[in-house]
Amino acid sequence: MDTHVETSEDSLDREWWTEAVVYQIYPRSFNDSDGDGVGDLSGIVENVAYLDELGVDAVWLSPVYESPGEDNGYDISDYRAIDDQYGELADWERLVECLHDRDIRLIMDLVINHTADEHAWFQRSRAGEEPYDEFYYWREGDPAEPPNNWESIFGGPAWSYDDQREAWYLHVFDESQPDLNWRNPDVRREIADVISWWREKGTDGFRIDAASHISKPEGLPDGDPDTDPTGIAHYSHGPTLDAYLEELTERTLGEAGVMTVAEMGHTTVEQAAEYVASESNGLEMVFQFDHVGIGDSPEDLFDPEASDEWDLTALKDIVTRQQTEIAWPAPFLGNHDLPRAVSLFGDDERYHRESATLLATFLLTLRGTPFVYQGDAIGMHNAEFQHLAEIDDVMTIGRVESLQEAGVIDSREEVRQFVNERSRDHARTPMQWTDGKHAGFTDGSPWLKVNERYTEINVEAARADTHSVLAHYRELIDLRHEWAVLVDGDYELLLPEDEQLYAYRRTLSEETALIVLNWSAEPATFESPVPTDGADAVTGNYTDVPSTPDGTTFRPYEAAIYRL
Ligand code: GLC
């Protein structure tokens, strides 16, 4: 069918990222070229053809900067250097060149709420050396009594006592990740310089890590002890956050063509909508997390009482709000901090292919700029961790330790099940390239265990199968590129109360797409609340797409797209 829609005059000068599909790479787990068991930049270069074949327009690269690696690179010790395990600056330059040769842009991860404690700034700061002495939040006082009651997002107090400086320092994440003092104009200048430096080297955009946490209120007041983690209400959306972002925008991020997306945990849809709507702060997009937190107790992934049960009508409600209230949404179903999408939202066993392709259909027919997480395009799912010793993630370990210290659990084994549902390691198991040793990820010994099902779920097998999850992703990415209604069209939810079917219309001038997803393991009949006469079946995830939607009984996890 002809899905071409006239390009309006406006869209001629629209920003590149509005029409892009972005692919996130977690470099540690993508591809190891030198056999040390850890992925690296040359390993990505070897697979740029894979990204091109998938059809993505940009890569968001999780951190590759020099780092002690406590939080796998989200603890930076030198913003202008590549960590040895990933290669060197020349390898990064080669990667940019290879990506740009194929018209794929590169988005770097900007970890600017904190540095590693091994960063020279912190080393000098703890020695009291000017001007670094005020680069972090230091408070003097009794070594037995932290300056306030804030708790870290990774468990335990948000303060650690430093014997060298004889003072407390703040860390809203791990103790090895001291928070930068953004109140200090020198810090803000240094960070802006770092951004300009990467920009001049050819970076096309930035994902701002933990963006909601960079501003803290005057006086660092105690938090409500009933919130978890205590203090989060103070150290999220601080009073000067917008002003800091605005300053970065004026100095560097506002440069034409630079894309910015801010990671904002603990942020409501309303707040996300405001950040995106604001003209001054320069943020183009915000990652809003309500939909991926749907099975949790509010805001806490590591609550042992949290249930993995979730309800489709609630998901529709959240996604519909994101789609309709945020001026330009950034849909995503997974990232390096989340369980695998097909395990959370689908059925990773009986309906693995069907549910993984339904999720692809969903993600790639939503309004905004979709982000595809590494491995999701072949349907990678949660691993089975038998022992906590198999876990690497600093957050999982920190949270489990604090539960134990607080007496909530007696033994670590008690939490095995929720660790198996929640650990960030699920998203970080090595990419499955082949059915060979270590899934073709490394010739050495992988830093994290490979998911057992790699012999069946891998890129090589997916390439050979015209009905694979990968084939479906490719087809849908192509379709999105050709059919503007999927990118820009208004989103309208149909059947909000239906507990099996998630259906919506996308409309752009005369063009309408109808998407019907049977998000369940049982057949479901679609009684269309809108006219569907003359509907054309565009594509679906079963080999035979039902020719008309209305009155059709859709099969388990069936997904179909129609042109109305
Ligand atoms: C963000 C990152 C996460 C990291 C944390 C601290 O949430 O996505 O991986 O641990 O920030 O930098």
Side-chain angles (χ1 to χ4, degrees):
M1 66 155 221
D2 174 18
T3 47
H4 183 76
V5 168
E6 285 299 304
T7 317
S8 72
E9 272 183 33
D10 286 356
S11 64
L12 287 178
D13 38 58
R14 34 188 326 188
E15 300 277 10
W16 65 267
W17 43 266
T18 51
E19 285 165 18
V21 174
V22 185
Y23 185 95
Q24 183 192 350
I25 290 186
Y26 194 68
R28 202 174 165 75
S29 308
F30 192 65
N31 184 35
D32 174 21
S33 71
D34 61 5
D36 65 355
V38 174
D40 46 46
L41 290 166
S42 298
I44 304 175
V45 169
E46 283 173 9
N47 283 296
V48 168
Y50 168 74
L51 303 170
D52 198 20
E53 169 190 319
L54 197 54
V56 297
D57 309 279
V59 163
W60 148 26
L61 187 62
S62 279
V64 288
Y65 315 96
E66 188 187 282
S67 164
E70 290 297 325
D71 191 16
N72 294 348
Y74 283 91
D75 47 328
I76 298 174
S77 52
D78 185 345
Y79 284 103
R80 291 181 176 80
I82 298 292
D83 198 90
D84 285 351
Q85 62 185 340
Y86 296 127
E88 47 190 73
L89 202 54
D91 298 308
W92 182 87
E93 285 164 351
R94 198 156 49 96
L95 174 62
V96 179
E97 206 180 300
C98 291
L99 290 171
H100 285 177
D101 278 351
R102 294 177 187 255
D103 288 329
I104 301 174
R105 302 226 179 30
L106 181 65
I107 294 159
M108 293 291 277
D109 216 313
L110 215 52
V111 189
I112 53 179
N113 173 68
H114 47 268
T115 66
D117 56 0
E118 291 186 17
H119 195 292
W121 296 342
F122 188 74
Q123 294 300 327
R124 290 173 172 180
S125 195
R126 67 156 40 133
E129 204 181 297
E130 287 182 10
Y132 302 100
D133 52 339
E134 295 304 319
F135 263 45
Y136 297 84
Y137 287 97
W138 292 101
R139 292 291 179 272
E140 279 162 13
D142 182 349
E145 178 116 15
N148 70 19
N149 68 355
W150 292 3
E151 289 171 333
S152 144
I153 295 170
F154 285 179
W159 294 92
S160 290
Y161 193 77
D162 184 59
D163 289 329
Q164 186 180 346
R165 179 145 165 177
E166 298 184 338
W168 292 90
Y169 66 90
L170 177 70
H171 54 86
V172 307
F173 292 97
D174 188 60
E175 63 179 328
S176 63
Q177 296 167 300
D179 280 47
L180 281 164
N181 175 10
W182 274 72
R183 294 176 164 266
N184 181 343
D186 290 343
V187 167
R188 305 202 294 273
R189 196 169 315 114
E190 288 279 2
I191 295 293
D193 286 352
V194 164
I195 298 173
S196 301
W197 194 84
W198 284 100
R199 172 67 188 139
E200 279 156 24
K201 294 212 156 313
T203 304
D204 302 291
F206 298 92
R207 176 256 186 194
I208 309 177
D209 182 74
S212 29
H213 304 307
I214 61 179
S215 159
K216 279 95 184 171
E218 184 75 53
L220 311 180
D222 271 340
D224 171 357
D226 290 335
T227 55
D228 186 20
T230 300
I232 186 102
H234 290 305
Y235 64 73
S236 301
H237 308 289
T240 36
L241 175 56
D242 230 49
Y244 295 157
L245 294 171
E246 201 174 319
E247 188 178 321
L248 282 186
T249 300
E250 274 165 19
R251 284 196 158 128
T252 176
L253 284 177
E255 214 183 307
V258 179
M259 190 209 96
T260 51
V261 55
E263 181 207 27
M264 290 205 169
H266 306 273
T267 300
T268 62
V269 174
E270 289 92 327
Q271 286 170 316
E274 278 172 32
Y275 283 110
V276 175
S278 149
E279 292 284 314
S280 52
N281 67 23
L283 289 185
E284 269 114 25
M285 288 175 273
V286 162
F287 290 132
Q288 202 282 333
F289 288 87
D290 280 0
H291 61 301
V292 286
I294 190 157
D296 306 330
S297 69
E299 301 285 316
D300 188 6
L301 269 177
F302 287 88
D303 176 353
E305 304 294 313
S307 120
D308 219 30
E309 300 289 309
W310 60 275
D311 175 76
L312 185 65
T313 57
L315 179 72
K316 291 189 218 181
D317 191 45
I318 296 168
V319 174
T320 300
R321 295 196 51 210
Q322 293 169 335
Q323 286 284 294
T324 55
E325 293 176 30
I326 302 178
W328 193 256
F332 66 97
L333 297 173
N335 70 22
H336 64 290
D337 296 326
L338 295 166
R340 286 282 174 180
V342 69
S343 303
L344 178 62
F345 292 118
D347 174 342
D348 60 17
E349 290 178 4
R350 175 148 183 219
Y351 293 112
H352 173 260
R353 198 197 70 80
E354 292 79 1
S355 61
T357 49
L358 174 140
L359 292 172
T361 312
F362 181 53
L363 178 65
L364 294 163
T365 58
L366 288 175
R367 200 171 72 80
T369 301
F371 287 72
V372 177
Y373 182 60
Q374 144 181 326
D376 284 357
I378 53 167
M380 280 179 64
H381 60 79
N382 284 355
E384 183 76 28
F385 294 108
Q386 299 300 342
H387 307 285
L388 284 166
E390 288 176 322
I391 298 288
D392 168 86
D393 173 24
V394 62
M395 179 176 188
T396 307
I397 295 168
R399 285 304 196 112
V400 170
E401 278 170 1
S402 17
L403 287 172
Q404 213 170 354
E405 273 159 29
V408 179
I409 53 167
D410 294 327
S411 89
R412 294 181 175 206
E413 288 312 300
E414 270 180 55
V415 288
R416 203 171 79 191
Q417 193 198 336
F418 87 78
V419 165
N420 254 329
E421 281 159 7
R422 307 287 151 156
S423 175
R424 302 195 302 176
D425 293 306
H426 292 298
R428 303 174 180 187
T429 62
M431 180 73 185
Q432 294 152 212
W433 295 102
T434 69
D435 65 0
K437 197 169 171 208
H438 306 312
F441 163 71
T442 180
D443 293 335
S445 155
W447 72 277
L448 189 66
K449 74 173 209 172
V450 173
N451 188 308
E452 287 85 1
R453 265 168 81 190
Y454 73 93
T455 50
E456 168 204 346
I457 301 171
N458 61 66
V459 171
E460 194 175 57
R463 273 179 168 149
D465 171 4
T466 50
H467 298 299
S468 65
V469 178
L470 180 65
H472 208 66
Y473 266 87
R474 286 164 61 178
E475 184 193 353
L476 290 166
I477 292 173
D478 279 354
L479 181 67
R480 190 176 177 93
H481 285 145
E482 282 167 24
W483 201 17
V485 68
L486 296 183
V487 175
D488 288 303
D490 286 343
Y491 162 104
E492 180 198 353
L493 179 68
L494 308 174
L495 307 175
E497 305 302 328
D498 197 298
E499 286 174 4
Q500 286 175 279
L501 293 167
Y502 189 153
Y504 46 101
R505 268 199 303 196
R506 305 287 317 278
T507 310
L508 183 68
S509 42
E510 300 298 297
E511 200 67 23
T512 302
L514 168 71
I515 293 95
V516 183
L517 312 171
N518 176 6
W519 208 307
S520 81
E522 305 299 327
T525 305
F526 178 66
E527 305 289 357
S528 183
V530 295
T532 60
D533 311 334
D536 278 330
V538 177
T539 188
N541 65 347
Y542 277 66
T543 42
D544 50 330
V545 189
S547 54
T548 56
D550 193 22
T552 293
T553 299
F554 285 86
R555 292 159 281 189
Y557 290 102
E558 180 156 20
I561 303 176
Y562 296 89
R563 183 190 207 184
L564 295 186

